[in-house]
Amino acid sequence: RNLHNVDISSGINAEYGSPCADKTNVAYQRFLPSGPIALLPLGESLFSLVWSCKSNIANELMSLSDEEFVARANNALQKPAVVPPAVAAMETVSDYMGMLEYPPQTPLIAAVQGPRAKFPLGFSNSARYVGPRTALLGDAAHRVHPLAGQGANIGFRGIQQLVKNITNNPDRQLGDYRVLNSFESSLQRQVTPMLCFIDGMHKLYSTSFDPIVAARSYGLGIVNQLPLLKNTFLDQARG
């Protein structure tokens, strides 16, 4: 399925405006009406910027100079959000109950490192992951929106599962259909729920309908306050 969105990626240098406990392992993501923008850490002050947006916005961003692009990205990351009344009321209640956790300040982008690139986004899951002496892995088997940063992790799961099935059957040939079918069944049980969850998250964050915005904000606050549930989601994401 074509998501009618485009990813723009670029390496950037950023400056921290406030102290951060661990500057090398903190990722930042903000959900905008046009799509999410994220900073993924690569080092002390180097990040990979991933910005998902509609095709017309992506074309405009690609045409900007580096200085103009930095200004637009900083505005997208730093500009105060317009909070609907229902969400503001929910946040007031959450803050009173100690459920509202304020994130660290997003780093300020200083400069672009290297060229920008854009990629069309889509969602798909192949009906079959295997064929005669063939196994599909990564984007060849499934595509998903990058908002949760799970595309690579899901691909790694496929590699791990294939290696596991091969090593557990040393008496069978590498392309044995029984090994491949076992790999396919095991991987689909792991991957399909994750793909559906990420696609659902994409749809959830693609709406500006106030009640849904309020519900998702409150729901994330609850998850953040329940260590068992929070760690379950983190374990699934880590694979």
Side-chain angles (χ1 to χ4, degrees), residues 112-202:
V112 173
Q113 291 289 322
R116 278 165 268 160
K118 67 175 184 176
F119 309 91
L121 299 180
F123 174 80
S124 64
N125 187 25
S126 178
R128 295 300 308 270
Y129 290 175
V130 298
R133 302 187 63 83
T134 303
L136 300 182
L137 296 168
D139 284 357
H142 36 66
R143 295 175 63 199
V144 69
H145 194 285
L147 68 88
Q150 290 301 302
N153 286 352
I154 295 174
F156 294 149
R157 284 192 183 197
I159 296 171
Q160 292 173 342
Q161 187 63 52
L162 182 59
V163 170
K164 179 179 179 180
N165 284 92
I166 291 173
T167 54
N168 286 348
N169 295 275
D171 55 328
R172 291 179 177 158
Q173 293 186 3
L174 191 61
D176 190 291
Y177 75 93
R178 289 165 294 187
V179 176
L180 293 177
N181 286 343
S182 177
F183 153 76
E184 180 183 54
S185 299
S186 298
L187 186 61
Q188 285 187 336
R189 284 196 298 270
Q190 299 174 54
V191 167
T192 301
M194 179 67 77
L195 295 178
C196 293
F197 175 76
I198 296 172
D199 190 49
M201 288 286 288
H202 171 244

Side-chain angles (χ1 to χ4, degrees), residues 209-224:
F209 186 50
D210 286 359
I212 295 180
V213 173
R216 76 191 183 200
S217 299
Y218 191 65
L220 284 177
I222 292 176
V223 170
N224 194 49

Side-chain angles (χ1 to χ4, degrees), residues 1-8 32-36 51-58 118-123 143 145-147 202 205-206:
R1 187 176 84 238
N2 186 351
L3 296 180
H4 304 292
N5 277 41
V6 174
D7 242 11
I8 292 181
L32 305 171
S34 58
W51 195 342
S52 301
C53 53
K54 299 297 183 183
S55 298
N56 60 320
I57 299 176
K118 67 175 184 176
F119 309 91
L121 299 180
F123 174 80
R143 295 175 63 199
H145 194 285
L147 68 88
H202 171 244
Y205 278 93
S206 295

